[in-house]
Structure formats: structure tokens, C-alpha cells
Amino acid sequence: MTTDRPHVSLLGTTALLFEAPGETTLETQRRIWALARDAAGFAGVREAVPGMNNLMLAFAEPPRRPEEIEQRLVERWNVVEPLPIAGRCIDLPVVYGGEAGPHMADVVEHTGMHVDEIVERHSAPTYTVFALGSHPGYCYLGGMDARIATPRRKVPVLKIPRGAVSIGGSQTGVSASDGPSGWNTIGSTEVAFFDVNRSPPALLQPGDSIRFKAVRVLR
Amino acid sequence: MIKVLTAGALATVQDLGRTGALNLGVGTSGAMDPLALAGGNILLRNEENAAAIEIPVFPFKVRFERATVFAVTGADCAARLDETSLLPWWAYRAEAGQVLSLSLPKPGTWRATRAYLCIADGIDVPVVLGSRSTQLRGSFGGHEGRALRDGDELRAGRPNGRAVPGFGLMPPGLSLPLQADGVPAVRVLPAAEYDCFTDSSQEALWSTAWKITAQSDRYGYRLAGEVLNPRRRLELRSHGIVPGVIQVPHGGQPIIQMRDAQPSGGYPKIGTVIEADLWRLGQAPIGSSVRFIRCSWDEALGALADVRHWFANARRLVELHCGEGGGR
Amino acid sequence: MSNPLDHVDQLGTWLKGADLALLELRGPGANLRLVNDGASVRVVEGEEPKSVDAPTITVGASSPGIFLDRHPLHDRAIAAVAADVRAGEPLGFLQVGPLLLAVPAPRAGMVTDVLAAHGTIVGYGAPLFVLQPIEGQTS
């Protein structure tokens, strides 16, 4: 859902959500990273958490007047410069389709493309890590080919496994652990995205990038 | 030291939650009824955030391997220490070898579904990313990152000798009632996509009762009721969410995100249950109904202040009582 | 002269209306005791008064507060008249703000009177229960 100006809304008294206008782009995401860095220092904010071209501010203490912090955010947004983070790039070996990709058929049906074309379009780009969220170590990636976009499932699936490579709407990502998801799983990888004993525990952070390498396509 | 004899299912070690790790994709976890957990800690003169065991499924049985002062808060689950019936929300002393048994909560004057076993000095499990709460997805925190099993042994924190047995607390479920037309209710602030829903869907949100289906747990409560329809199909980008967010996936039946929910999502959000009322949901049994009451920002802050006042007042009176050498 | 037993219903209604827990009428030929436990009024058949060698104990409030005859999460009074209790068992409770204090039985015995109504404010020392201790029992 795109808008022509930023939109700020409340998530109860626990947080507020800032949505950047326009299409989802890396340029906008760099400005979101910059805005997050600024907003993390606002009074009453415990954590500034980037999403896909949006930003959630989790309150340590909810403000008496949320309009003031909303206005401050919009004013910062209007002037903030993109943060030029360039992290590391890793290659992820992926088995696509078959048992590794139980919802490949739904993507085929929605897009009208053949499995091989979907695999090629999915594994061609270098994806930038826009944000972490969803579950420990999970990376939201930007740069997916819009032609393989497939809507989230009507009913979320109760459990998809760690390593599942999925498409939800116009986004793609890799599950870092077993759990429920509304996305369409098209493949599987073995790489560990989160280890609580490691420092830092998450494998990747915003500004890093990923390339999917198709090692097998099951039919 | 406590030995779990009968773990039931889904019993976990929790404290008030893990904050500050959203940037790693790590959500809050923590007690579904934080007032019961903190209330038990206040009763035992622990710090409010000391870890306890959250028990959603019964029967549940533990043996105290050492003398322990403890309290069972949350739902009244007909607790027995060996053969003696215990009062709910009451501090007791168990001797080494005594067995605590908790049974299915029966309907009483307050409908509740989760019990909390709080012990003096708290449950001592390692602090991971700032909290002792169990992070089930990802398997860390709490006791080995998982639900308790028969045979598990849990340690108590270093003894500070403060807990005094022999008195209790009024359950906040009775002191802070909230209903709409006789149905337990929670207050809700509209969320970003509220205006994208039809007038009749908005009306249905506030004026009809929502049943908590059996597909409800610490991740989220799936509700059954009127179908909520957006004016046009919505496809959103992934964004941060918090416990209490009421999502409406394409099927039109709302899901309230709870303590173990993903910290981000992409379904349309019609409203958010206010933080001050999440404990009420945490005690709403499967099969029961809830109502949503629309509130203002100021009313939501007022509700938070009421909860804080309840804690502060309880702590003050407990200190007065224990300080006078009471608690026989 | 009419027999008070013929007027039990009316007496019960007055008892409830006045928010009293106990009405006792004694005469040369009959005793009548009506106990109001908050849920109902009933006639309690009493034995002849015990011998003067076994004095009853009156249990009073250890603190001002709201007297409760049951834990607030429970539906029924703990210790109605004629209930047997063990030493230390709660007969009722005192609510002081958010705190709940027990009113414990000082000795094992039988509750012969409940003197305060559930939900009423009582002062320090207010008599709440009368207990007939069991001979030979220590607390």
C-alpha cells in the first residue's frame, strides 16, 4: 500500500509506526536507517526498529502527547540523508521446489511461470538486508523481482521449517527457525542465521547482502 | 530446588519479558498475565521481574527439594501441598519433600486459565539477552529454551530471606474488573488500517463478542465472529508489531498477537489491545468470549497508571505488613 | 400467644433486611436461633447450652478491614455455623486494601456463631466468630 506522504500510526501505547511514502526502494530504506539512528535517541524511545521502508519506535515510556513525537519524526524524515552502509555479501546454497518448496505450485499458479523461470528470477538478484524482524535472526530482503510476487496465504501455515526460503507479497526471506508463516515456501537452505551464543547473535544486519545459489531444483 | 513431577504441556519459565532485542528479530515473550507474575513476586518480596513458572495446562505437580516460600497466583487451580488445600494468591512455606499439585481451574468468581508458581528469590535460569523469559521460537532463554518436561529441575535464586508466609493479595481480576454487557472486555486503540475497513466491520469490532478459538496460544489468539472486510484488498509491507495488535488476514477473522508473536508482520491491523489490558487476555480461556472497547490515548495511559498504582499499592502494603513482623 | 416458630419466614426477612448475622430467642420452653450466612437464613437446631466448664472463644479482627467469610475467588463461605475447624485454619479473611489476612481458628473446634456479615467493614478487635473448642485439643 503506497502513499504520497509519510503516515504515522499508533500500536497501542507500546509503540508507534512510521511508514515512508512511495514504492519500496533501497534508497528509502537507507533514509529509514538514518531516521532510526536519530529516533533511537528521542526521549521515551526504547528501541527504533526498521521494517520494509518503515520504522517502529518501541516506547520505554509512552509519551503524554504522541502527536509531538509523530511531528518530530516527520520533520526529521524530510531532511534525513540516506545512510551509506555497505556490509558483507554471503552466498546461500538453496534446494528449490519439491519437498523443499511445498508452495512452489502456488507461486507457479499465481505468476503463470514455470518452476525454472521462478528459480532463475529468484536467484538472479543480490538482495540487500533491509531489516531484521519476524523471528530471531530473520532478514527482510529487498530487491526481489516483482514478477514472481505472490500474495501471502489466506490462512497462515502453522509451521514452516528453519531454512525455508519463502515469498510473501513482493518480498522474500529465509526462516531462521521453525515457526508459523503466511508466506509461500519455494526452497530450503542450511545456513544458520541466529546463534544466541555468538556475538553478535544474528548472522546478518541491515546493509549486508545475500545471493541465493540454486544447487538443486526438485520437481 | 524444585523438581517437576508432572509438567503438563506448555509450562514455561517467564519473567516480565525481553526488551531491547527487536533489532535482532527477538520479540518480548514474558508472562501472558504479567500482573499475576508480578503480584506473586510482590507477595514474596522478590523483585517484580523475578522469573516464575507459567502453567497453562493442568494437572501440574512439583516437589520442593528444599524448604521454600512460594505462592500460586493467576487462576485458582485448587492447589494442594501434599494433602492440604491451599488458598490462591497466598504465600506459603513448603518443607523439603513436600509436593505441590495444581488442578484444572474451576469456575469461581473470576474466570482465569493460567496459573503462576512464584518462589522466593525467583527461578534461577540464565539471563539471555537481558531476560529469563523463554523464547520458544529459536529455543533460548527460560529453561533450555523450551517448555518444561517431567523430571526437570529448577533452582531458586540466591536466598535473601525476605519472604514471609501466611497472607495473601486480592487478585487484580477482582479489583480491576472490566466488562462490556457482562462479557470480559479489553480496551483497544484503532491501528493504521482501521479506516480501511467497512463501516459495518468497524461497528462489528466494537459491538460484537469475539470467541477465542482452540487455535489460540502464546503466539496469538485466533478469534471467531463476524467477518471483517476491508473496503479494498490490502497488501502491506512487513512492519514492526507488538503484542496486542489485532491483525485481520484475508479470511476476515481477527488474530490478536500475543506475547510470543513475531515482532513484525504484514497483515492489516484494525486495532491494538492496550498494554494495560493484555493480562486480561492472558487469562481468557479457550472457548470464552471477549469484547473490545474503543478507548482514547489518554484513557489508555490512565489504564497503565491504574496498573502501576495497583503494583505500588500492593508493594507498599506488603512491606508494611512484613515490616511489622506480621504474617503469622 | 403465637409461637415464634410460626414466624420464621418473617423473622428471616427482617434479619436479612437489617443485615444481621444472628437472631437468638430463648425462653423457658424453647430456643430459636436463626443464622444469616449471606446466602440464606436458616433455623439452626442447637443442643442445650454446653456446661459452663467449656467456655467458648470469641475470635476478633486482628486489624481493621473488610470482613470476608470466604476467599474472594471462592463461591461459598468457609466456616458456617456448625462447621468443624482445625487449629490455624482460616475461618474468614480481612481485606486491607490489596492485602488479604486470614482470621485463623485459635484452636480446633466448632463454629457456633458468625458475628459479622460478609463484605462489612469491621474495626480492630471486632468480634467475628464464636468457637466452641474441642476438649483436650491444643492449638
Side-chain angles (χ1 to χ4, degrees):
Chain A
M1 210 171 83
T2 63
T3 55
D4 55 1
R5 64 178 67 183
H7 184 241
V8 189
S9 61
L10 295 171
L11 291 165
T13 52
T14 311
L16 70 70
L17 184 63
F18 171 95
E19 290 269 6
E23 298 294 329
T24 306
T25 67
L26 179 55
E27 169 88 356
T28 298
Q29 193 67 15
R30 292 184 183 284
R31 297 184 65 222
I32 288 284
W33 295 335
L35 185 65
R37 203 180 49 170
D38 289 349
F42 288 4
V45 171
R46 173 183 285 134
E47 219 182 335
V49 191
M52 294 297 283
N53 277 193
N54 50 58
L55 180 66
M56 178 172 73
L57 298 188
F59 298 127
E61 190 60 46
R64 188 110 288 277
R65 275 189 289 274
E67 319 81 66
E68 289 174 2
I69 192 173
E70 289 173 18
Q71 181 158 347
R72 206 173 155 200
L73 260 185
V74 172
E75 282 166 7
R76 284 303 305 155
W77 175 255
N78 290 336
V79 300
V80 80
E81 293 290 326
L83 214 55
I85 306 175
R88 62 200 184 112
C89 182
I90 66 170
D91 286 344
L92 284 188
V94 178
V95 176
Y96 283 98
E99 275 177 3
H103 308 133
M104 178 68 88
D106 297 298
V107 178
V108 165
E109 192 190 328
H110 181 81
T111 60
M113 290 177 204
H114 191 265
V115 171
D116 291 320
E117 201 182 348
I118 291 168
V119 170
E120 200 190 303
R121 298 234 166 110
H122 186 261
S123 54
T126 298
Y127 296 87
T128 306
V129 177
F130 272 39
L132 268 67
S134 179
H135 54 273
Y138 179 82
C139 298
Y140 283 108
L141 306 174
M144 191 179 85
D145 189 327
R147 292 170 293 188
I148 55 173
T150 304
R152 289 180 182 80
R153 306 181 69 74
K154 267 198 171 56
V155 178
V157 176
L158 282 175
K159 187 167 107 164
I160 68 170
R162 174 178 126 154
V165 177
S166 311
I167 294 176
S170 54
Q171 300 164 230
T172 188
V174 183
S175 291
S177 52
D178 293 356
S181 170
W183 290 27
N184 305 283
T185 301
I186 60 169
S188 175
T189 184
E190 305 255 303
V191 174
F193 279 78
F194 192 84
D195 178 353
V196 79
N197 300 309
R198 197 169 52 195
S199 187
L203 177 69
L204 299 172
Q205 56 188 351
D208 289 339
S209 34
I210 284 177
R211 280 191 303 243
F212 295 106
K213 297 295 187 200
V215 298
R216 274 182 73 193
V217 181
L218 304 176
R219 301 173 200 285
Chain B
M1 174 81 84
I2 293 179
K3 187 169 183 117
V4 178
L5 302 179
T6 304
L10 307 173
T12 49
V13 173
Q14 303 288 348
D15 57 18
L16 292 175
R18 183 173 282 109
T19 54
L22 293 169
N23 271 288
L24 297 173
V26 177
T28 338
S29 303
M32 291 281 270
D33 178 358
L35 270 62
L37 185 141
N41 283 331
I42 288 170
L43 191 52
L44 299 173
R45 302 173 83 203
N46 292 337
E47 54 162 18
E48 244 161 67
N49 191 39
I53 303 174
E54 175 178 276
I55 300 138
V57 174
F58 303 85
F60 181 84
K61 231 193 269 194
V62 298
R63 186 172 64 226
F64 294 103
E65 307 288 42
R66 294 199 223 305
T68 310
V69 182
F70 69 96
V72 181
T73 61
D76 175 12
C77 46
R80 302 178 82 80
L81 188 63
D82 290 343
E83 293 313 309
T84 306
S85 284
L86 302 184
L87 295 166
W89 290 80
W90 203 269
Y92 285 98
R93 180 187 163 91
E95 300 306 328
Q98 288 197 288
V99 172
L100 174 69
S101 308
L102 310 181
S103 314
L104 197 62
K106 288 183 297 243
T109 59
W110 175 52
R111 182 201 69 182
T113 196
R114 287 176 168 85
Y116 291 83
L117 171 56
C118 303
I119 64 172
D121 312 306
I123 303 279
D124 185 16
V125 291
V127 172
V128 179
L129 294 178
S131 165
R132 293 188 169 90
S133 288
T134 305
Q135 171 69 29
L136 287 172
R137 181 155 191 189
S139 306
F140 60 86
H143 180 72
E144 301 178 2
R146 58 167 174 80
L148 296 178
R149 292 181 203 140
D150 295 2
D152 280 342
E153 290 179 337
L154 298 169
R155 316 178 69 81
R158 208 149 44 102
N160 64 26
R162 287 167 47 82
V164 177
F167 70 105
L169 276 184
M170 265 304 264
L174 298 176
S175 327
L176 302 170
L178 188 65
Q179 296 195 328
D181 301 322
V183 176
V186 293
R187 284 159 289 197
V188 171
L189 280 166
E193 287 78 52
Y194 177 79
D195 290 324
C196 301
F197 284 85
T198 62
D199 289 347
S200 62
S201 292
Q202 293 174 2
E203 172 68 21
L205 183 69
W206 307 121
S207 62
T208 65
W210 297 92
K211 184 166 141 169
I212 297 170
T213 68
Q215 290 74 45
S216 298
D217 56 21
R218 287 183 51 91
Y219 288 93
Y221 280 10
R222 295 189 187 210
L223 307 181
E226 304 254 337
V227 172
L228 299 178
N229 295 306
R231 296 176 212 273
R232 64 185 186 288
R233 190 178 175 87
L234 298 169
E235 198 64 43
L236 307 181
R237 305 178 290 205
S238 295
H239 53 273
I241 60 172
V242 296
V245 167
I246 306 169
Q247 293 181 329
V248 186
H250 303 315
Q253 297 288 261
I255 304 177
I256 312 177
Q257 302 303 299
M258 300 300 284
R259 297 283 173 184
D260 284 350
Q262 301 183 74
S264 57
Y267 288 116
K269 313 170 289 297
I270 194 168
T272 308
V273 177
I274 65 172
E275 189 167 340
D277 282 348
L278 286 175
W279 66 279
R280 303 176 189 276
L281 282 179
Q283 290 296 3
I286 296 221
S288 70
S289 290
V290 290
R291 287 281 303 272
F292 296 129
I293 296 174
R294 182 172 187 166
C295 73
S296 67
W297 175 261
D298 286 344
E299 285 166 341
L301 290 192
L304 265 179
D306 288 343
V307 168
R308 283 185 187 157
H309 176 76
W310 178 83
F311 282 149
N313 205 30
R315 210 175 312 117
R316 189 174 59 90
L317 280 236
V318 167
E319 286 309 305
L320 269 177
H321 175 75
C322 296
E324 283 165 2
R328 239 165 266 93
Chain C
M1 192 153 70
S2 63
N3 189 328
L5 288 167
D6 297 333
H7 302 276
V8 164
D9 287 342
Q10 180 64 61
L11 291 169
T13 304
W14 286 337
L15 204 64
K16 272 192 187 161
D19 211 10
L20 293 171
L22 174 69
L23 172 70
E24 185 164 20
L25 301 174
R26 282 188 206 206
N31 285 347
L32 175 67
R33 295 176 99 221
L34 292 177
V35 173
N36 175 15
D37 67 10
S40 64
V41 175
R42 60 190 199 289
V43 175
V44 176
E45 302 296 335
E47 286 128 11
E48 287 304 312
K50 299 267 194 236
S51 75
V52 296
D53 293 342
T56 57
I57 300 173
T58 298
V59 182
S62 58
S63 146
I66 303 173
F67 171 70
L68 305 175
D69 68 7
R70 69 201 64 181
H71 188 281
L73 288 178
H74 294 158
D75 289 331
R76 283 176 304 182
I78 296 179
V81 171
D84 286 323
V85 293
R86 288 183 299 221
E89 241 178 62
L91 300 166
F93 300 91
L94 291 167
Q95 180 188 346
V96 184
L99 228 62
L100 277 177
L101 304 174
V103 180
R107 301 246 273 279
M110 185 184 79
V111 175
T112 59
D113 284 289
V114 181
L115 303 175
H118 175 72
T120 55
I121 296 174
V122 298
Y124 175 81
L128 302 175
F129 297 95
V130 180
L131 196 67
Q132 175 67 61
I134 293 173
E135 292 286 315
Q137 292 287 328
T138 54
S139 44

